[in-house]
Amino acid sequence: MTDNSTRLDHVVLWVRDPVASADFYEKAVGMQPLRVADFAAGTAPFPSVRLNDETIFDLAPTAGASHATMLPGAADSAGHPVNHICLALPGDDFDALRTRLEERAVPVSEIHHDSYGARGTAPRSFYFRDPDQNIFEVRHYD
């Protein structure tokens, strides 16, 4: 990519079982898993899942929190809540994701209408939790 404008690169989620989380994000949410085999083989510190061409979610094992030394107290961030992460999808993908989640018995919220976000007002949105209880909002603008 040659466009160096400001954009979201990655989000790190603390998860209990990175392989199971990657499986959830692949099968229920429709994301591409990355480095799962490398993580399982012990050659990568965590797997990731690709949200789009520009953004990934790293699935960091909570068991490794004691090794988080990028800032003083970083290890204490394991288990700290993020209110939610919002994914904006095209309308057809929005409907397909909701269907996949429901097929896997993942509880989803009711549909919310006309909620405000980064691109203005979204006609529909809903919420769900991943296996580690991280909350996601899903919306579409089209």
Side-chain angles (χ1 to χ4, degrees), residues 24 28-30 83-103 105-116 122-130 134-141:
F24 171 82
V29 185
N83 182 273
H84 73 276
I85 298 167
C86 182
L87 307 175
L89 304 175
D92 290 345
D93 292 345
F94 173 94
D95 294 327
L97 172 55
R98 187 172 177 92
T99 298
R100 282 194 312 274
L101 292 169
E102 290 172 339
E103 287 171 353
V106 175
V108 296
S109 74
E110 63 188 46
I111 297 286
H112 300 271
H113 297 278
D114 301 323
S115 57
Y116 182 78
R124 297 183 301 158
S125 66
F126 70 89
Y127 295 82
F128 71 93
R129 290 182 188 265
D130 75 0
N134 294 302
I135 299 172
F136 286 83
E137 177 184 0
V138 181
R139 62 176 50 212
H140 72 89
Y141 288 99

Side-chain angles (χ1 to χ4, degrees), residues 13 27-28 57 78 98 121 134:
L13 299 174
K27 294 180 178 147
F57 292 168
R98 187 172 177 92
T121 302
N134 294 302

Side-chain angles (χ1 to χ4, degrees), residues 6 8 12-13 16 27 34 37-38 44 60 72 91 110 112 117-119 123-124 127 133:
T6 302
L8 181 63
V12 179
L13 299 174
R16 289 181 306 272
K27 294 180 178 147
L34 305 169
D38 294 337
E110 63 188 46
H112 300 271
R119 293 187 233 166
R124 297 183 301 158
Y127 295 82
Q133 302 307 303

